C-alpha cells in the first residue's frame, strides 16, 4: 500500500458524520421510555449515513445475526455503490449505533453512538455474548491479570498509578452478577462507581486522565469489548478480557466464528489488531467526556470523539448541523 494511513486519512471525516447522524436520530427519542425505538432510530440513521461513504464496508460487529437484525447485521455490506470499474477500499466495521439504549430512553448520562473501523481483519469477529474485562489507563501496562484475585489487580493498578488502593475509583456495571466482585473491591478498600449501562464509555474514561475513573472491572458485552479495544489502541489504554462461554450453544457459535480457544485471554491488541483504526463516538445524552445532542430549532449541535491509531490523533469534533438556512437568530455557537 502506497500510504499506510489511507483509511485513517481518507475516512475519518466520513466516519464522524456517520456517528453524528446516529446520535441525532437517537437523541430525538431521548426520554421517551422506548429503548427499542431509540435503537432503531440510531440504526436506521447510521445505515443511511453509510450510503454516502465511499467504502466497501463489512460489518463485523453489529446488531446481531442476519435473521435477528434487519440492518447492520454481522456480514452486511455497507457503503456507497461505486461507479462501474471503480473499487472502494475494503473496511471492517464494528458498530454500536446506540450504546446505552436504556440511558437514552430514560435521558440518563453517557449514551453514545459509536463505531470502529479498520483494514480487513483489524477487528475481532466476536460473538454477541458476555466478556470479562479489566480496563485501565496506559500506566497499567502489563499490570493486569484477569485470573488474579481482585485485590491483586487493585494493588497493581494503585502501584502503577503511584497511589493507594483507597484512592482508586473502579467502575462496575450495576448487575446482580457483580455482587461478589463488588464485595471484593469494597473489602480491598477501593472506591466504586456503579453504572446502569455503558461499560464502553466507562472504559474510555478509565484510559484518559482527569475523568475520575481508574479502571473498569466486570462482565459486559463482548461486542462492546471489541469496540472498547479499538479505543484502547488509540489511547494506549490497557485491557485484558475473556469471553464468557458457558453453554454448549455458545461454544458452537464461538467455534463457527473461527475462535479456536474460547478461554483465550485477549489484550486490546488481540481484540483490535488493526494497523489502521478509526474510533468515533458521538454523545447522545450528556456524559463525562461528551455533550449530548443539543437541538435549537434550525439545527442542532453534536459533540464527537474521533481517534486514530496510526496517525495518533484524538480529536473532539464540535459540529453545528443546520437543518435549513439559519433563521434570523442565526447559528447558535454556544
Ligand atoms: C454492557 C453495557 C451495555 O450491555 O455491555 C451490557 O455496557 C451487558 O449486558 O451498555 P447486560 O445488560 O445483560 O448486563 C449494555 O447494557 C447494553 O448493550
Amino acid at each position: 500500500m502506497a500510504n499506510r494511513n489511507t483509511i485513517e486519512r481518507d475516512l475519518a471525516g466520513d466516519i464522524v458524520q456517520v456517528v453524528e447522524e446516529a446520535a441525532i436520530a437517537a437523541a430525538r427519542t431521548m426520554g421517551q421510555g422506548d429503548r427499542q425505538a431509540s435503537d432503531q432510530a440510531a440504526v436506521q440513521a447510521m445505515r443511511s449515513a453509510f450510503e454516502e461513504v465511499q467504502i466497501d464496508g463489512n460489518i463485523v460487529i453489529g446488531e446481531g445475526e442476519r435473521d435477528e437484525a434487519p440492518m447492520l447485521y454481522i456480514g452486511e455490506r455497507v457503503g456507497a455503490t461505486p461507479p462501474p470499474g471503480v473499487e472502494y477500499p475494503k473496511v471492517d466495521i464494528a458498530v454500536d449505533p446506540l450504546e446505552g439504549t436504556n440511558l437514552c430512553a430514560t435521558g440518563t448520562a453517557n449514551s453514545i453512538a459509536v463505531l470502529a473501523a479498520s483494514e480487513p481483519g483489524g477487528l475481532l469477529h466476536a460473538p454477541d455474548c458476555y466478556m470479562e474485562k479489566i480496563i485501565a489507563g496506559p500506566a497499567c501496562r502489563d499490570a493486569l491479570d484477569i485470573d488474579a484475585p481482585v485485590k491483586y489487580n487493585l494493588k497493581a493498578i494503585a502501584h502503577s498509578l503511584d497511589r493507594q488502593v483507597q484512592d482508586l475509583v473502579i467502575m462496575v456495571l450495576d448487575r446482580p452478577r457483580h455482587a461478589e466482585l463488588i464485595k471484593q473491591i469494597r473489602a480491598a478498600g477501593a472506591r466504586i462507581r456503579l453504572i446502569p449501562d455503558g461499560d464502553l464509555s466507562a472504559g474510555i474514561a478509565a484510559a484518559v486522565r482527569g475523568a475520575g475513573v481508574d479502571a473498569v472491572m466486570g462482565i459486559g458485552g463482548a461486542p462492546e469489548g471489541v469496540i472498547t479495544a479499538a479505543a484502547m489502541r488509540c489511547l494506549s489504554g490497557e485491557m485484558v478480557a475473556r469471553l464468557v462461554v458457558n453453554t454448549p450453544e455458545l461454544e458452537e457459535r464461538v467455534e463457527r466464528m473461527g475462535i479456536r480457544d474460547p478461554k483465550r485471554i485477549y489484550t486490546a491488541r488481540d481484540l483490535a489488531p488493526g494497523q489502521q483504526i478509526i474510533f468515533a463516538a458521538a454523545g447522545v445524552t450528556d456524559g463525562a467526556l461528551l455533550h449530548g445532542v443539543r437541538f435549537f430549532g434550525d439545527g442542532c449541535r453534536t459533540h464527537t470523539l474521533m481517534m486514530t491509531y496510526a496517525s495518533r490523533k484524538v480529536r473532539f469534533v464540535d459540529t453545528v448541523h443546520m437543518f435549513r438556512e439559519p433563521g434570523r437568530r442565526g447559528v447558535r455557537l454556544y
Side-chain angles (χ1 to χ4, degrees):
M1 208 185 299
N3 184 323
R4 285 183 46 242
N5 300 339
T6 44
I7 289 181
E8 293 185 0
R9 199 195 53 209
D10 297 345
L11 295 176
D14 287 332
I15 296 294
V16 166
Q17 177 113 347
V18 170
V19 292
E20 284 177 348
E21 293 301 328
I24 294 167
R28 288 197 184 284
T29 73
M30 185 182 96
Q32 297 300 307
D34 186 345
R35 57 180 292 184
Q36 261 158 356
S38 293
D39 195 44
Q40 261 315 298
V43 170
Q44 231 152 11
M46 188 174 266
R47 178 72 183 66
S48 57
F50 267 126
E51 282 169 15
E52 306 291 318
V53 185
Q54 300 189 347
I55 51 169
D56 178 0
N58 175 27
I59 301 289
V60 296
I61 301 260
E63 290 286 290
E65 313 274 335
R66 183 188 206 127
D67 46 3
E68 66 201 33
M71 273 189 284
L72 298 178
Y73 54 84
I74 298 162
E76 183 176 342
R77 314 301 298 194
V78 293
T81 310
V86 174
E87 269 182 37
Y88 290 149
K90 288 192 188 313
V91 179
D92 275 4
I93 297 165
V95 301
D96 197 347
L98 180 56
E99 154 66 342
T101 50
N102 262 328
L103 301 175
C104 177
T106 56
T108 308
N110 286 318
S111 62
I112 53 177
V114 56
L115 72 78
S118 81
E119 79 274 13
L123 299 162
L124 183 83
H125 300 206
D128 186 6
C129 64
Y130 284 121
M131 179 181 260
E132 294 173 64
K133 316 171 191 178
I134 310 178
I135 305 157
C140 297
R141 170 152 315 160
D142 297 330
L144 309 174
D145 179 350
I146 207 159
D147 284 322
V150 171
K151 198 168 73 180
Y152 168 92
N153 280 307
L154 294 175
K155 274 192 187 155
I157 294 166
H159 183 257
S160 307
L161 293 169
D162 203 11
R163 290 206 217 141
Q164 304 293 316
V165 170
Q166 285 74 4
D167 300 331
L168 297 179
V169 175
I170 310 299
M171 269 200 181
V172 180
L173 277 170
D174 193 2
R175 297 289 187 276
R177 64 176 176 268
H178 289 149
E180 182 55 32
L181 170 67
I182 290 167
K183 210 164 102 190
Q184 290 187 28
I185 298 173
R186 285 179 180 154
R191 304 189 304 144
I192 298 181
R193 252 165 77 186
L194 289 173
I195 49 171
D197 279 297
D199 67 346
L200 202 169
S201 55
I204 297 169
V208 298
R209 254 186 289 168
V213 190
D214 300 301
V216 178
M217 295 177 100
I219 295 174
E224 287 89 343
V226 173
I227 302 177
T228 305
M232 292 304 111
R233 291 290 309 284
C234 298
L235 291 167
S236 300
E238 192 66 8
M239 176 170 182
V240 285
R242 180 165 49 205
L243 297 172
V244 179
V245 183
N246 49 11
T247 63
E249 290 81 19
L250 253 177
E251 262 171 42
E252 220 175 274
R253 234 167 74 215
V254 164
E255 203 184 317
R256 256 191 287 129
M257 299 195 89
I259 295 170
R260 262 176 280 147
D261 176 10
K263 298 213 162 17
R264 176 169 173 191
I265 297 167
Y266 293 99
T267 63
R269 188 177 283 277
D270 300 324
L271 293 170
Q275 292 306 306
Q276 298 183 65
I277 297 173
I278 303 173
F279 171 94
V284 176
T285 54
D286 278 332
L289 288 173
L290 295 168
H291 293 295
V293 181
R294 291 150 288 166
F295 293 97
F296 52 86
D298 293 332
C300 71
R301 190 160 177 183
T302 55
H303 195 203
T304 302
L305 168 64
M306 199 279 283
M307 310 192 282
T308 48
Y309 167 68
S311 45
R312 303 215 167 283
K313 295 283 189 289
V314 175
R315 291 191 171 96
F316 283 94
V317 185
D318 185 358
T319 309
V320 174
H321 305 253
M322 283 174 266
F323 301 145
R324 50 185 162 262
E325 205 176 319
R328 64 196 153 77
R329 280 178 300 166
V331 172
R332 190 189 158 118
L333 284 186
Y334 56 87

